[in-house]
Amino acid sequence: NQNTALMIKYKVKRIQTIDDIGDETIDFFLESAERVSKMYGDKFNWGHFDFLKYARNNLFLVCYKDDKPVGALLARLYGSIFDPETKILMQDLLVVSPSGGRAAHLLMKVFVDFGKVHANHVFTMIAEKSNIKKRSLERLGFTKIEELYRMET
């Protein structure tokens, strides 16, 4: 129904303290962490991830669709190894639930806007199971600069 689609409300919220997190958001984090871990063969123990420490020290965004969490984007802001005055914003994770709709796009837009204010360089990546397409990143202003390789030991 077209009228129903128009009534859907999205909002992106930055998480920084325990007061920013309700039970539904905690459940979303735990379900998402388990789902992402499984997507990548359970190679990481997500139980070691300190959500609040990350939120206090980094950019932790959650997208809500009709007040229900449907996506998250995590990124770190830090000084370049070559020049600490040159700030880099690096995305660590973008995860959106299957019912997330426009969440990936909205999270990336807030991430880019944050980077334009706080960073000199903004980096993102596309993983094997990313929630966003190359073309969408190009529309946001990103250009491909390198490829990432992994070796498991």
Side-chain angles (χ1 to χ4, degrees):
N1 181 332
Q2 190 176 10
N3 291 336
T4 303
L6 295 174
M7 293 172 51
I8 295 173
K9 293 194 183 187
Y10 288 91
K11 72 178 174 189
V12 175
K13 180 177 170 185
R14 183 173 183 187
I15 304 296
Q16 291 183 287
T17 70
I18 190 73
D19 297 329
D20 299 328
I21 305 171
D23 290 342
E24 204 166 19
T25 304
I26 290 170
D27 291 344
F28 172 77
F29 291 163
L30 297 176
E31 180 273 323
S32 295
E34 191 170 320
R35 185 166 41 95
V36 169
S37 181
K38 283 185 190 325
M39 280 193 306
Y40 291 98
D42 287 320
K43 298 190 187 296
F44 305 97
N45 182 347
W46 63 268
H48 291 159
F49 182 61
D50 187 338
F51 290 94
L52 284 176
K53 182 178 178 184
Y54 192 97
R56 278 192 299 273
N57 298 310
N58 301 285
L59 181 64
F60 196 136
L61 302 173
V62 177
C63 183
Y64 295 86
K65 177 180 174 183
D66 290 331
D67 296 322
K68 299 209 181 303
V70 293
L73 186 146
L74 285 66
R76 290 171 284 147
L77 180 66
Y78 57 91
S80 166
I81 61 169
F82 301 112
D83 174 7
E85 297 298 312
T86 299
K87 299 300 179 194
I88 297 171
L89 181 63
M90 172 70 80
Q91 176 198 324
D92 286 320
L93 178 70
L94 171 64
V95 61
V96 176
S97 66
S99 65
R102 300 178 28 130
H105 176 75
L106 294 172
L107 286 163
M108 287 300 295
K109 180 133 180 37
V110 173
F111 167 70
V112 167
D113 290 346
F114 181 89
K116 286 178 179 177
V117 172
H118 299 285
N120 304 98
H121 303 278
V122 179
F123 290 92
T124 188
M125 68 221 59
I126 293 180
E128 182 181 337
K129 307 198 190 248
S130 284
N131 294 96
I132 198 158
K133 294 177 176 61
K134 285 185 209 180
R135 183 72 188 123
S136 296
L137 294 178
E138 290 166 359
R139 282 189 203 118
L140 287 167
F142 289 97
T143 57
K144 182 179 176 181
I145 58 168
E146 61 187 47
E147 292 186 45
L148 185 66
Y149 296 84
R150 177 179 72 183
M151 174 192 295
E152 291 185 38
T153 60

